[in-house]
Amino acid sequence: MIQLEPGILLIADPFLKDPNFARSVILLCEHQEKGSFGFVLNKLFDQRLDELIPDIIPPNIPVYNGGPVQQDTIHFVHQLPELIEGGFEIVPGLYWGGRFDAAVELINSGKIDLSKIKFFIGYSGWSSGQLETEFKDKSWILSHISAPLVFKEKEQDIWKQALKNLGHSFAMMANFPSDPSLN
């Protein structure tokens, strides 16, 4: 049985109505008694990184809407601990944060593989016990992490692929309409 812990993917139930999380997949980065946080992997933000941070030179680096909390902050996850120091290891080979100035310098100099880093504005957060309650209420389906899914370029495919990765019974859910009355 999968437990709530860092590195788990939270896959929104097909009929979850919360507009912040409908059809979303969240990378859970921290889960403690005092609360939890993570990032929505599949909701593209309407601005690119160079539009949000003037110091970024290359255009068109996507930013994802990590969640409704602190929408004035930018976060990142990556697979580059040898280049970006100070990150928190979520699971082996996957890190949250680190020296932002180093990431900017590496991006601007072209010394970073952009398929191994993903940027978010804001984050998803839960107070003590809140995520457990939502899980018991069947708002979320848990899955082990898949690095290719975390860094998938086609964000519109992440939710369906996460369900399909869980096997046949969940794969059927990927095709459920968002409104059950349309069935």
Side-chain angles (χ1 to χ4, degrees):
M1 175 125 183
I2 300 174
Q3 301 294 315
L4 288 167
E5 61 186 8
I8 292 298
L9 296 179
L10 305 173
I11 305 167
D13 177 82
F15 304 117
L16 183 65
K17 296 292 184 209
D18 183 329
N20 292 309
F21 301 115
R23 306 258 166 153
S24 65
V25 176
I26 297 175
L27 169 62
L28 191 59
C29 295
E30 187 171 298
H31 179 69
Q32 298 181 6
E33 189 175 315
K34 63 183 177 184
S36 308
F37 87 91
F39 302 109
V40 177
L41 298 173
N42 61 324
K43 306 283 181 175
L44 196 59
F45 191 63
D46 60 358
Q47 290 180 288
R48 300 297 185 156
L49 193 60
D50 61 299
E51 295 172 306
L52 297 171
I53 301 177
D55 292 343
I56 298 288
I57 296 168
N60 300 320
I61 298 173
V63 175
Y64 294 82
N65 191 342
V69 182
Q70 289 189 347
Q71 288 270 304
D72 59 345
T73 59
I74 295 179
H75 305 268
F76 62 101
V77 296
H78 61 91
Q79 296 177 305
L80 305 161
E82 67 284 353
L83 297 174
I84 303 171
E85 295 177 353
F88 170 79
E89 190 172 37
I90 301 167
V91 294
L94 183 63
Y95 296 79
W96 163 62
R99 288 193 44 224
F100 195 82
D101 61 329
V104 169
E105 184 180 311
L106 290 163
I107 290 169
N108 287 342
S109 65
K111 295 179 182 172
I112 195 168
D113 180 351
L114 292 174
S115 70
K116 294 183 181 238
I117 190 167
K118 193 168 191 171
F119 293 90
F120 304 92
I121 190 157
Y123 65 91
S124 301
W126 295 267
S127 60
S128 178
Q130 184 182 4
L131 185 54
E132 289 85 352
T133 300
E134 290 180 14
F135 177 65
K136 287 176 190 168
D137 291 343
K138 302 199 183 305
S139 295
W140 302 105
I141 300 163
L142 304 185
S143 173
H144 290 289
I145 195 166
S146 161
L149 198 61
V150 170
F151 296 101
K152 190 171 185 68
E153 287 184 33
K154 293 185 177 181
E155 72 282 344
Q156 66 274 18
D157 296 339
I158 293 175
W159 182 79
K160 285 185 176 192
Q161 189 61 53
L163 285 171
K164 289 176 183 177
N165 289 352
L166 291 173
H168 180 69
S169 60
F170 289 99
M172 292 186 315
M173 296 171 87
N175 295 316
F176 285 1
S178 54
D179 182 350
S181 68
L182 298 175
N183 240 355

